Each structure stands twice: as structure tokens, then as C-alpha cells.
Amino acid sequence: MCTAVISLCPRDRWPVLLMATRDEFTDRPWRAPAGWWPRYPGVLGGKDRQAGGSWLAVNEAHGSVAMVLNGRSVDHVHVAETPPTRGMLPLMAAGKLELPTPSEVRGMAPFHLLLAGPSGAWLASWARGRYRVRDLPAGLSLVTSRGVNQVGDPLVDRWLAPFRTCRRPDPELGEPADSVWQQWLSVLDEGAGEAGTDRSSVLKRPPATGGRVWATVSLSAFAVGGDGVRYDFAPLSQNRSAGSARWSRII
């Protein structure tokens, strides 16, 4: 499942820093981040060509970023027979700089929706008919399919401490992405493991067995502060390391 590394430091010149992995079937079609949705002017994100939404969206005018992660719960009671796509949630949240209401998520499969902007960050969670919103704490957190900083999550138990020991990135707007995010990228590569077998892996490698392939297919990085907004994106081809990813500057 996808993972978000988020660092909140309200008094820093970059109060919000985020790096996100997208874990998905490698044959699921998508488009690179752009303004694909006329209904949400100013919102940029990668487009899921199968369902039409996005996994992560950025609004430069608001200085906001929103990301959706699949929840772990199996819910046959509160999920509609044909559930609405969760890929619209980042567009809605980044577009308005506010989380959706409970009525807007009814019928969806379980999810966690992360929304961050200059004034803080929040995590909305929907599972088994219950909708919860919590503030994210200052400092560095890991958001996974189990929630934020969940003790007992193998990924969090193994990799939260190494991320917290990294020097906090301090982006310069013209600095290359691999230099800005180098320490976090190193932890991602250290935490690489085979998808489906290594439950603690933060970067999912394609399994050696045949069949449909699930892996980390892209990385996104975001910073907002007094110097503006920075949004970097990199697709990951099979077995490419995070440190050798080919980044594009979106904003």
C-alpha cells in the first residue's frame, strides 16, 4: 500500500514537507501530473486513467496537498455495490483546502485521506461506517494503510525511527530533486523489499514470481512555505532505486 512521509515544522521556512510512494499494479494506466480536471481549476496531479481520479493532488494557490491511501478494513456493509472512486477525494480536498463531509464519502471503500497546507495537516479516516478526523502532530510522521504512526505496523515499527534521524530537507527552489530529498530517498532504498512478502518494506519491489505485478510505481515530493510551493514527481520503472529516480519538476 502507499506510504506518506510527512514532516511538520510550523516555524520553519518550509512548514510542510511530504514524500509519498504510490503502490499499484504496474499495468494500471495513468498519466503524469498535470491539470487534468476542469472541475478543479488549479489542481495538479497524476491521473488514474482507469477511474479518472488521482492518488495525490496539489493546489499551488492554496499551498495544499492531498493524498488518499487505501484502508485495510474489509467492509461489506457500508460499501456500495458499485462504490464511488476514492480517487476523487484528493481533488476535492486540495481544490477546497478542506476535508469532505461524512455524507460525501458514504458508500466508498475504506480509506485514509491526508490533507496538508500552511496551517497544518489532518488525516480523515473512513472504515466500517465511521468517519474520523485527527490533527497530525508536529515532527515527522509515517502514514500507511493502518493510519498515522501506528504501533504494530511492521513498516512503522521498522522505518519511523530511521526517517526521524534524517536531517530535515531544506529545499532551494532551483535545487535538483535528488539532492533536496536525498536523505529520505536513501531510507526508501534501505527499506526496499519484495511486494507481498516483506510487510515492513517502504519501497515495494516487483516479486520474482509471475502473474500481475504489484509494486511502487512512482514517487511524489512536496514542500510549501514562504518561498512558495515545490512539487516533484518521478515514475519508478521495475527495480529502479529511489536514489536513481528520474525526477520532473511539476511546480
Side-chain angles (χ1 to χ4, degrees):
M1 296 298 178
C2 304
T3 302
V5 184
I6 183 166
S7 175
L8 302 177
C9 188
R11 297 183 181 180
D12 193 85
R13 71 181 185 122
W14 297 102
V16 178
L17 300 174
L18 171 76
M19 178 166 285
T21 69
R22 185 191 184 208
D23 302 335
E24 185 53 87
F25 287 111
T26 58
D27 61 355
R28 182 161 178 148
W30 56 274
R31 294 186 184 275
W36 297 109
W37 304 274
R39 183 180 174 185
Y40 300 98
V43 173
L44 306 175
K47 184 177 183 179
D48 175 13
R49 294 175 60 189
Q50 181 169 309
S54 184
W55 56 96
L56 182 146
V58 170
N59 187 322
E60 183 177 10
H62 293 163
S64 63
V65 60
M67 174 186 178
V68 67
L69 301 88
N70 293 347
R72 287 179 58 86
S73 301
V74 177
D75 187 347
H76 300 295
V77 176
H78 301 95
V79 178
E81 184 175 344
T82 304
T85 175
R86 293 168 289 189
M88 301 310 294
L89 294 170
L91 308 179
M92 295 164 60
K96 299 186 295 183
L97 193 52
E98 62 183 43
L99 293 167
T101 64
S103 63
E104 290 175 309
V105 307
R106 192 166 292 122
M108 289 186 177
F111 67 80
H112 301 288
L113 176 64
L114 173 63
L115 174 62
S119 59
W122 308 267
L123 189 71
S125 301
W126 165 254
R128 301 184 182 276
R130 184 183 180 193
Y131 186 65
R132 270 196 315 173
V133 177
R134 71 196 81 176
D135 295 342
L136 263 66
L140 188 140
S141 293
L142 287 181
V143 183
T144 71
S145 61
R146 300 191 185 199
V148 56
N149 298 337
Q150 287 294 308
V151 176
D153 181 333
L155 189 156
V156 172
D157 292 346
R158 177 66 183 87
W159 297 109
L160 180 58
F163 274 112
R164 284 180 169 173
T165 60
C166 291
R167 177 180 58 82
R168 191 173 192 265
D170 185 18
E172 298 294 341
L173 290 180
E175 188 178 359
D178 55 358
S179 175
V180 170
W181 308 105
Q182 185 271 328
Q183 291 207 16
W184 286 4
L185 294 173
S186 294
V187 178
L188 287 181
D189 280 332
E190 186 182 352
E194 186 174 291
T197 59
D198 186 350
R199 296 172 59 205
S200 69
S201 61
V202 67
L203 193 74
K204 309 295 191 293
R205 300 288 193 208
T209 56
R212 201 174 181 200
V213 176
W214 175 278
T216 301
V217 297
S218 66
L219 303 173
S220 300
F222 172 85
V224 63
D227 290 346
V229 173
R230 177 169 182 146
Y231 175 20
D232 298 304
F233 175 80
L236 282 185
S237 57
Q238 292 189 26
N239 295 317
R240 179 177 291 279
S241 68
S244 63
R246 296 175 180 173
W247 291 90
S248 296
R249 181 73 178 273
I250 309 301
I251 299 175

Coordinates of all heavy atoms in Angstrom, one line a residue, residues 84-149:
P84 N -18.3 4.7 -5.1 CA -17.6 5.8 -5.8 C -16.1 5.7 -5.7 O -15.6 5.1 -4.7 CB -18.1 7.0 -5.0 CG -19.3 6.5 -4.2 CD -19.1 5.1 -4.0
T85 N -15.4 6.2 -6.7 CA -13.9 6.1 -6.7 C -13.3 7.0 -5.6 O -13.7 8.2 -5.4 CB -13.3 6.5 -8.0 OG1 -11.9 6.5 -7.9 CG2 -13.8 7.8 -8.5
R86 N -12.4 6.4 -4.8 CA -11.7 7.2 -3.8 C -10.7 8.2 -4.4 O -10.3 9.1 -3.8 CB -11.0 6.3 -2.9 CG -11.9 5.5 -2.0 CD -11.2 4.3 -1.3 NE -10.7 3.3 -2.2 CZ -10.2 2.1 -1.9 NH1 -10.1 1.8 -0.6 NH2 -9.9 1.2 -2.7
G87 N -10.5 8.1 -5.7 CA -9.6 9.0 -6.4 C -10.0 10.4 -6.6 O -9.2 11.3 -6.9
M88 N -11.3 10.6 -6.3 CA -11.8 12.0 -6.3 C -11.5 12.7 -5.1 O -11.6 14.0 -5.0 CB -13.3 12.0 -6.6 CG -13.7 11.4 -7.9 SD -12.8 11.9 -9.4 CE -13.3 13.6 -9.4
L89 N -11.2 12.0 -4.0 CA -11.0 12.7 -2.7 C -9.8 13.7 -2.7 O -10.0 14.8 -2.1 CB -10.8 11.6 -1.6 CG -12.1 10.7 -1.3 CD1 -11.7 9.6 -0.4 CD2 -13.2 11.6 -0.7
P90 N -8.6 13.3 -3.2 CA -7.6 14.3 -3.2 C -7.9 15.6 -4.0 O -7.5 16.7 -3.6 CB -6.4 13.6 -3.9 CG -6.7 12.1 -3.6 CD -8.2 12.0 -3.7
L91 N -8.7 15.4 -5.1 CA -9.1 16.6 -5.9 C -10.0 17.5 -5.1 O -9.9 18.7 -5.1 CB -9.8 16.1 -7.2 CG -9.0 15.1 -8.0 CD1 -9.9 14.7 -9.3 CD2 -7.7 15.6 -8.4
M92 N -11.0 16.9 -4.4 CA -11.9 17.6 -3.6 C -11.2 18.4 -2.5 O -11.4 19.6 -2.2 CB -13.0 16.7 -3.0 CG -13.9 16.1 -4.1 SD -14.8 14.6 -3.4 CE -15.7 15.4 -2.1
A93 N -10.3 17.7 -1.8 CA -9.6 18.2 -0.6 C -8.7 19.3 -1.0 O -8.6 20.4 -0.4 CB -8.9 17.1 0.2
A94 N -7.8 19.1 -2.0 CA -6.9 20.1 -2.5 C -7.6 21.3 -3.1 O -7.1 22.4 -3.0 CB -5.9 19.5 -3.4
G95 N -8.7 21.0 -3.8 CA -9.4 22.1 -4.5 C -10.0 23.1 -3.6 O -10.0 24.3 -3.9
K96 N -10.5 22.6 -2.4 CA -11.2 23.5 -1.5 C -10.4 23.7 -0.2 O -10.8 24.5 0.6 CB -12.5 22.9 -1.1 CG -13.5 22.7 -2.3 CD -14.9 22.3 -1.8 CE -14.9 20.9 -1.2 NZ -16.2 20.4 -0.8
L97 N -9.3 23.1 -0.1 CA -8.5 23.1 1.2 C -9.3 22.7 2.4 O -9.3 23.4 3.4 CB -7.8 24.5 1.4 CG -6.7 24.5 2.5 CD1 -5.7 23.4 2.3 CD2 -6.0 25.9 2.5
E98 N -10.2 21.7 2.2 CA -11.0 21.2 3.3 C -11.3 19.8 3.0 O -11.4 19.3 1.9 CB -12.2 22.0 3.5 CG -13.2 22.0 2.3 CD -14.4 22.9 2.6 OE1 -14.2 24.0 3.1 OE2 -15.5 22.5 2.2
L99 N -11.5 19.0 4.1 CA -11.8 17.6 4.0 C -13.3 17.4 3.6 O -14.1 18.3 3.9 CB -11.5 16.9 5.4 CG -10.1 16.9 5.7 CD1 -9.9 16.5 7.2 CD2 -9.3 15.9 4.8
P100 N -13.6 16.3 3.0 CA -15.0 16.0 2.6 C -15.8 15.8 3.9 O -15.3 15.4 4.9 CB -14.9 14.8 1.7 CG -13.6 14.1 2.1 CD -12.7 15.2 2.5
T101 N -17.1 15.9 3.7 CA -18.1 15.6 4.8 C -18.4 14.1 4.8 O -18.2 13.4 3.8 CB -19.3 16.4 4.6 OG1 -20.0 16.0 3.4 CG2 -19.1 17.9 4.5
P102 N -18.9 13.6 6.0 CA -19.3 12.2 6.0 C -20.3 11.8 4.9 O -20.2 10.7 4.4 CB -19.9 12.1 7.4 CG -19.2 13.1 8.2 CD -19.0 14.3 7.3
S103 N -21.2 12.7 4.6 CA -22.1 12.4 3.5 C -21.5 12.2 2.2 O -22.0 11.5 1.3 CB -23.2 13.4 3.4 OG -22.7 14.7 3.1
E104 N -20.4 12.9 1.9 CA -19.7 12.8 0.7 C -18.9 11.6 0.5 O -18.5 11.2 -0.6 CB -18.8 14.1 0.5 CG -19.5 15.4 0.3 CD -18.6 16.6 0.2 OE1 -17.7 16.7 1.1 OE2 -18.7 17.4 -0.7
V105 N -18.6 10.8 1.6 CA -17.8 9.6 1.5 C -18.6 8.4 1.6 O -18.1 7.3 1.5 CB -16.6 9.6 2.5 CG1 -15.8 10.9 2.3 CG2 -17.1 9.5 3.9
R106 N -19.9 8.5 1.9 CA -20.7 7.4 2.2 C -20.7 6.5 1.0 O -20.8 6.9 -0.2 CB -22.1 7.8 2.5 CG -23.0 6.7 3.1 CD -24.3 7.3 3.7 NE -24.0 8.1 4.9 CZ -24.3 9.4 5.1 NH1 -24.9 10.0 4.1 NH2 -24.0 10.0 6.2
G107 N -20.6 5.2 1.2 CA -20.6 4.2 0.1 C -19.2 3.9 -0.4 O -19.1 2.9 -1.2
M108 N -18.2 4.7 0.0 CA -16.8 4.4 -0.5 C -16.2 3.2 0.3 O -16.6 2.9 1.4 CB -15.9 5.6 -0.4 CG -16.3 6.7 -1.3 SD -15.1 8.1 -1.2 CE -15.7 9.2 -2.5
A109 N -15.2 2.6 -0.4 CA -14.4 1.6 0.3 C -13.5 2.3 1.4 O -13.3 3.6 1.3 CB -13.5 0.9 -0.7
P110 N -13.0 1.6 2.4 CA -12.2 2.3 3.4 C -11.0 3.0 2.9 O -10.4 2.6 1.9 CB -11.8 1.1 4.3 CG -12.9 0.1 4.1 CD -13.2 0.2 2.7
F111 N -10.7 4.1 3.6 CA -9.5 5.0 3.1 C -9.0 5.8 4.2 O -9.7 6.0 5.3 CB -10.0 5.9 1.9 CG -11.0 6.9 2.3 CD1 -10.6 8.1 3.0 CD2 -12.3 6.8 2.0 CE1 -11.5 9.1 3.3 CE2 -13.2 7.8 2.4 CZ -12.8 8.9 3.0
H112 N -7.8 6.4 4.0 CA -7.3 7.5 4.8 C -7.0 8.6 3.8 O -6.4 8.3 2.8 CB -6.0 7.1 5.5 CG -6.1 5.9 6.5 ND1 -6.8 6.0 7.7 CD2 -5.7 4.6 6.4 CE1 -6.8 4.8 8.3 NE2 -6.1 4.0 7.5
L113 N -7.4 9.8 4.2 CA -7.2 10.9 3.3 C -6.3 12.0 4.1 O -6.8 12.5 5.1 CB -8.5 11.6 2.9 CG -8.4 12.9 2.1 CD1 -7.7 12.6 0.7 CD2 -9.8 13.5 1.9
L114 N -5.1 12.2 3.6 CA -4.2 13.2 4.2 C -4.3 14.5 3.5 O -4.2 14.6 2.2 CB -2.8 12.6 4.1 CG -1.6 13.5 4.5 CD1 -1.7 13.9 6.0 CD2 -0.3 12.9 4.2
L115 N -4.5 15.6 4.2 CA -4.6 16.9 3.7 C -3.6 17.8 4.5 O -3.7 17.8 5.7 CB -6.0 17.5 3.8 CG -6.2 19.0 3.4 CD1 -5.8 19.2 2.0 CD2 -7.6 19.5 3.7
A116 N -2.7 18.5 3.8 CA -1.7 19.3 4.4 C -1.7 20.7 3.7 O -1.8 20.8 2.5 CB -0.4 18.6 4.4
G117 N -1.4 21.7 4.5 CA -1.3 23.0 4.0 C -0.5 23.9 5.0 O 0.0 23.4 6.0
P118 N -0.4 25.2 4.7 CA 0.4 26.1 5.5 C 0.0 26.1 7.0 O 0.9 26.3 7.9 CB 0.2 27.5 4.9 CG -0.2 27.2 3.5 CD -0.9 25.9 3.5
S119 N -1.2 25.8 7.3 CA -1.7 25.9 8.7 C -1.7 24.5 9.4 O -2.1 24.5 10.6 CB -3.1 26.5 8.8 OG -4.0 25.7 8.0
G120 N -1.2 23.5 8.8 CA -1.2 22.2 9.5 C -1.5 21.0 8.5 O -1.6 21.1 7.3
A121 N -1.8 19.9 9.2 CA -2.1 18.7 8.4 C -3.2 17.8 9.2 O -3.1 17.8 10.4 CB -0.9 17.8 8.1
W122 N -4.0 17.1 8.4 CA -5.1 16.4 9.0 C -5.2 15.1 8.3 O -4.9 15.0 7.1 CB -6.4 17.2 8.9 CG -6.3 18.5 9.5 CD1 -6.6 19.0 10.7 CD2 -5.9 19.7 8.8 NE1 -6.3 20.3 10.9 CE2 -5.9 20.8 9.7 CE3 -5.4 19.9 7.5 CZ2 -5.5 22.1 9.3 CZ3 -5.0 21.2 7.1 CH2 -5.1 22.3 8.0
L123 N -5.7 14.1 9.0 CA -6.0 12.8 8.4 C -7.4 12.4 8.7 O -7.9 12.3 9.8 CB -5.1 11.7 9.0 CG -5.1 10.3 8.3 CD1 -4.4 10.4 7.0 CD2 -4.4 9.3 9.2
A124 N -8.2 12.2 7.6 CA -9.6 11.7 7.7 C -9.6 10.2 7.3 O -9.0 9.8 6.3 CB -10.4 12.5 6.7
S125 N -10.2 9.5 8.2 CA -10.3 8.0 8.0 C -11.7 7.5 8.0 O -12.6 7.9 8.8 CB -9.6 7.3 9.2 OG -8.2 7.7 9.2
W126 N -12.0 6.7 7.0 CA -13.4 6.1 6.8 C -13.3 4.6 6.8 O -12.6 4.0 6.0 CB -14.0 6.6 5.5 CG -15.2 5.9 5.0 CD1 -15.2 5.0 4.0 CD2 -16.5 6.0 5.6 NE1 -16.5 4.6 3.8 CE2 -17.3 5.2 4.8 CE3 -17.1 6.7 6.6 CZ2 -18.7 5.0 5.0 CZ3 -18.5 6.6 6.8 CH2 -19.3 5.7 6.0
A127 N -14.0 3.9 7.7 CA -14.0 2.5 7.8 C -15.2 2.0 8.6 O -15.5 2.6 9.7 CB -12.7 1.9 8.4
R128 N -15.9 1.0 8.1 CA -17.0 0.4 8.9 C -18.0 1.4 9.3 O -18.6 1.3 10.4 CB -16.5 -0.4 10.1 CG -15.5 -1.5 9.7 CD -15.1 -2.3 10.9 NE -14.1 -3.3 10.5 CZ -14.4 -4.5 9.9 NH1 -15.6 -4.8 9.7 NH2 -13.4 -5.4 9.6
G129 N -18.3 2.4 8.4 CA -19.4 3.3 8.7 C -19.0 4.4 9.7 O -19.8 5.3 10.0
R130 N -17.7 4.5 10.0 CA -17.2 5.5 11.0 C -16.2 6.5 10.2 O -15.3 6.0 9.6 CB -16.5 4.9 12.1 CG -16.1 5.9 13.2 CD -15.3 5.2 14.3 NE -14.9 6.1 15.4 CZ -14.0 5.8 16.3 NH1 -13.5 4.6 16.4 NH2 -13.7 6.7 17.2
Y131 N -16.4 7.8 10.4 CA -15.6 8.8 9.8 C -14.9 9.6 10.9 O -15.6 10.2 11.8 CB -16.5 9.7 9.0 CG -15.7 10.8 8.1 CD1 -14.9 10.4 7.1 CD2 -15.9 12.1 8.4 CE1 -14.2 11.3 6.3 CE2 -15.2 13.1 7.6 CZ -14.4 12.6 6.6 OH -13.7 13.6 5.8
R132 N -13.6 9.6 10.9 CA -12.8 10.2 11.9 C -11.8 11.2 11.3 O -11.3 10.9 10.3 CB -12.0 9.2 12.7 CG -12.7 8.6 13.9 CD -11.6 7.9 14.8 NE -10.7 7.1 14.1 CZ -9.7 6.5 14.7 NH1 -9.4 6.7 16.0 NH2 -8.8 5.7 14.0
V133 N -11.6 12.3 12.0 CA -10.6 13.3 11.5 C -9.7 13.6 12.7 O -10.2 13.8 13.8 CB -11.3 14.6 11.0 CG1 -10.2 15.6 10.7 CG2 -12.2 14.3 9.8
R134 N -8.4 13.6 12.5 CA -7.4 13.9 13.5 C -6.4 14.9 13.0 O -6.0 14.8 11.8 CB -6.8 12.6 14.1 CG -5.8 12.0 13.1 CD -5.5 10.6 13.5 NE -6.6 9.7 13.1 CZ -6.6 8.4 13.2 NH1 -5.5 7.8 13.8 NH2 -7.5 7.6 12.8
D135 N -5.8 15.7 13.9 CA -4.7 16.5 13.5 C -3.4 15.7 13.6 O -3.3 14.8 14.4 CB -4.5 17.7 14.5 CG -5.7 18.6 14.5 OD1 -6.4 18.6 13.5 OD2 -5.9 19.4 15.5
L136 N -2.5 15.9 12.6 CA -1.2 15.3 12.7 C -0.3 16.1 13.6 O -0.3 17.3 13.6 CB -0.6 15.2 11.3 CG -0.8 13.8 10.6 CD1 -2.3 13.6 10.3 CD2 0.0 13.8 9.3
P137 N 0.6 15.4 14.3 CA 1.4 16.1 15.3 C 2.6 16.8 14.6 O 3.0 16.4 13.4 CB 1.9 15.0 16.2 CG 1.9 13.7 15.3 CD 0.7 13.9 14.4
A138 N 3.2 17.8 15.2 CA 4.4 18.3 14.7 C 5.5 17.3 14.7 O 5.5 16.3 15.5 CB 4.9 19.5 15.6
G139 N 6.5 17.5 13.8 CA 7.6 16.5 13.7 C 7.3 15.6 12.5 O 6.5 15.9 11.6
L140 N 8.0 14.5 12.4 CA 7.9 13.6 11.3 C 7.0 12.4 11.6 O 7.1 11.8 12.7 CB 9.3 13.0 10.9 CG 9.3 12.2 9.6 CD1 10.5 12.5 8.7 CD2 9.2 10.7 9.9
S141 N 6.1 12.1 10.7 CA 5.1 11.0 10.8 C 5.1 10.1 9.6 O 5.5 10.6 8.5 CB 3.7 11.5 11.1 OG 3.6 12.2 12.3
L142 N 4.7 8.9 9.8 CA 4.5 8.0 8.7 C 3.0 7.6 8.6 O 2.4 7.2 9.6 CB 5.3 6.7 8.8 CG 6.8 6.7 8.6 CD1 7.4 5.3 8.8 CD2 7.1 7.2 7.2
V143 N 2.4 7.8 7.4 CA 1.0 7.5 7.2 C 1.0 6.3 6.3 O 1.6 6.3 5.2 CB 0.2 8.6 6.6 CG1 -1.3 8.3 6.5 CG2 0.4 9.9 7.5
T144 N 0.3 5.2 6.7 CA 0.2 4.0 5.9 C -1.3 3.6 5.9 O -2.2 4.3 6.3 CB 1.0 2.8 6.6 OG1 0.3 2.4 7.8 CG2 2.4 3.3 6.9
S145 N -1.5 2.4 5.3 CA -2.9 1.9 5.3 C -3.5 1.7 6.6 O -4.8 1.5 6.7 CB -3.0 0.6 4.4 OG -2.2 -0.4 5.1
R146 N -2.7 1.7 7.7 CA -3.2 1.5 9.0 C -3.5 2.8 9.8 O -4.0 2.8 10.9 CB -2.3 0.6 9.8 CG -2.1 -0.8 9.3 CD -1.3 -1.7 10.2 NE -1.0 -3.0 9.6 CZ -0.7 -4.1 10.3 NH1 -0.7 -4.0 11.6 NH2 -0.4 -5.2 9.7
G147 N -3.1 3.9 9.2 CA -3.2 5.2 9.8 C -1.9 5.9 10.0 O -1.0 5.7 9.3
V148 N -1.8 6.7 11.1 CA -0.6 7.5 11.3 C 0.2 7.0 12.5 O -0.4 6.8 13.6 CB -0.9 9.0 11.5 CG1 -1.9 9.2 12.6 CG2 0.3 9.9 11.7
N149 N 1.5 6.7 12.3 CA 2.4 6.2 13.3 C 1.8 5.1 14.1 O 1.9 5.1 15.4 CB 2.7 7.4 14.2 CG 3.4 8.5 13.5 OD1 4.1 8.3 12.5 ND2 3.3 9.7 14.1

